[in-house]
Amino acid sequence: MKKRIVVALGGNAILTTDASANAQKEALIHTAQYLVDFIEAGHELIISHGNGPQVGNLLLQQQKGATEKNPAMPLDTAVAMTQGSIGYWLENALVNELKKRNISKKTVTLLTQVVVSETDPAFQLPSKPVGPFLSKEEMNSEKKQTKATYVEDAGRGFRKVVPSPKPIDIVEYPVIKQLVEHGIITIAGGGGGIPVVMKDGGYQGIEAVVDKDFASEKIAALVHADMLVILTGVDYVSINFNQPNQLDLNKVTVAEMERYIQQNQFAPGSMLPKVQAAIAFIKENTNGKAVITSLENIKKLLEEDTGTIITA
């Protein structure tokens, strides 16, 4: 049975240790092979993606080359720039994979604005990691130049953090809905979308990065998707993670996941926002389901319902 599916692809799945354009294109060629499985199974597909590493790297490049006559671009513009570059690479990879499988489908990348509130408390407490992992020495050096806020991220080094307000609305959601209704594979909400606020009767960009999982949830709810698939580095969400009594979760309810959140089972800034986004989607669409799993598990998800599947 045909379903409308929103797939949220992590920025770290696009960029690994090699930040070059060619390496990211290669990663997305690999990614496209899995994503086209949804199309081959007859589903409508909307793809969102992260950009944390990419937008952070772009900001560093901007800062290094900035002059009085050629100043660095603001954060919202950098998000738009990475929406374009990653969308271009992903669209190209999808078109080529569709041709290989003789599937006649059109693909488009849509520049997407996400409405946030200027009074969101996130602006007082930057928390969203962007850019590469730095050693303590590299972090201290960068901090002297940029005055940015840095935090240790998952024991892998220090990363710059920026405000990450919650999405209120998606400006282009009617266009996304229209495109997918016409059978067009739509890449939207890249990097969590370009953050904008309503001001003086219009939208204005603001310095922030919206979490791509929450932005993807908002898109999925507004276009009445049947399923939200959040891709991460593991096949299952687990409780008691990395402990002898670790338990992988397969089919769970919102109530069970909320209980696990109260038990602090999910790491903030890592698995927690994915679980929260999945719960938010189910609460807005009680007939839908949310899945958290890995890219490599997509075929098994389609055939066997494996992965962490959350329902009302």
Side-chain angles (χ1 to χ4, degrees), residues 214-277:
F214 288 116
S216 303
E217 181 279 320
K218 187 58 69 176
I219 291 172
L222 289 169
V223 303
H224 307 298
D226 301 295
M227 188 188 306
L228 170 65
V229 179
I230 298 174
L231 297 178
T232 185
V234 292
D235 292 349
Y236 297 92
V237 179
S238 303
I239 57 171
N240 306 317
F241 184 66
N242 268 347
Q243 297 175 36
N245 60 338
Q246 176 176 320
L247 176 66
D248 295 338
L249 304 175
N250 179 210
K251 295 182 179 177
V252 288
T253 64
V254 164
E256 288 172 306
M257 294 305 270
E258 287 180 329
R259 189 165 67 250
Y260 294 139
I261 289 174
Q262 290 173 354
Q263 295 170 4
N264 297 317
Q265 287 285 356
F266 311 122
S270 178
M271 190 58 77
L272 180 59
K274 300 179 195 310
V275 171
Q276 290 172 326

Side-chain angles (χ1 to χ4, degrees), residues 81-93:
M81 292 163 76
T82 52
Q83 260 196 29
S85 59
I86 297 170
Y88 153 56
W89 294 332
L90 179 54
E91 185 178 334
N92 188 269

Side-chain angles (χ1 to χ4, degrees), residues 59-290:
L59 288 171
L60 287 176
Q61 293 163 4
Q62 292 270 320
Q63 289 159 5
K64 298 287 185 187
T67 64
E68 189 176 341
K69 290 186 177 180
N70 187 25
M73 293 295 106
L75 182 53
D76 59 306
T77 302
V79 171
M81 292 163 76
T82 52
Q83 260 196 29
S85 59
I86 297 170
Y88 153 56
W89 294 332
L90 179 54
E91 185 178 334
N92 188 269
L94 286 167
V95 167
N96 291 338
E97 184 62 27
L98 289 165
K99 282 182 179 177
K100 281 183 189 175
R101 301 196 199 184
N102 293 314
I103 299 173
S104 180
K105 278 277 185 181
K106 300 294 184 186
T107 306
V108 70
T109 301
L110 182 67
L111 207 62
T112 313
Q113 300 172 92
V114 173
V115 184
V116 301
S117 170
E118 208 169 2
T119 59
D120 191 302
F123 286 105
Q124 306 305 317
L125 189 66
S127 63
K128 179 69 175 172
V130 297
F133 291 95
L134 303 174
S135 67
K136 193 170 184 178
E137 293 74 23
E138 290 170 326
M139 180 267 292
N140 287 331
S141 174
E142 290 291 338
K143 209 170 182 179
K144 286 177 186 175
Q145 297 178 48
T146 65
K147 308 297 183 187
T149 303
Y150 290 83
V151 298
E152 191 172 10
D153 186 354
R156 292 178 288 175
F158 293 86
R159 293 179 79 188
K160 178 180 176 178
V161 288
V162 298
S164 184
K166 291 288 191 295
I168 297 170
D169 198 8
I170 308 294
V171 177
E172 291 81 10
Y173 92 83
V175 183
I176 298 169
K177 191 167 182 283
Q178 193 172 13
L179 286 166
V180 78
E181 283 171 352
H182 283 79
I184 298 170
I185 303 166
T186 305
I187 301 165
I194 303 159
V196 296
V197 293
M198 178 60 77
K199 203 169 186 179
D200 301 326
Y203 297 117
Q204 293 183 18
I206 193 165
E207 292 259 324
V209 170
V210 179
D211 184 277
K212 73 100 177 43
D213 295 318
F214 288 116
S216 303
E217 181 279 320
K218 187 58 69 176
I219 291 172
L222 289 169
V223 303
H224 307 298
D226 301 295
M227 188 188 306
L228 170 65
V229 179
I230 298 174
L231 297 178
T232 185
V234 292
D235 292 349
Y236 297 92
V237 179
S238 303
I239 57 171
N240 306 317
F241 184 66
N242 268 347
Q243 297 175 36
N245 60 338
Q246 176 176 320
L247 176 66
D248 295 338
L249 304 175
N250 179 210
K251 295 182 179 177
V252 288
T253 64
V254 164
E256 288 172 306
M257 294 305 270
E258 287 180 329
R259 189 165 67 250
Y260 294 139
I261 289 174
Q262 290 173 354
Q263 295 170 4
N264 297 317
Q265 287 285 356
F266 311 122
S270 178
M271 190 58 77
L272 180 59
K274 300 179 195 310
V275 171
Q276 290 172 326
I279 289 171
F281 172 66
I282 299 301
K283 286 186 172 181
E284 291 195 69
N285 181 4
T286 53
N287 292 321
K289 66 180 179 181

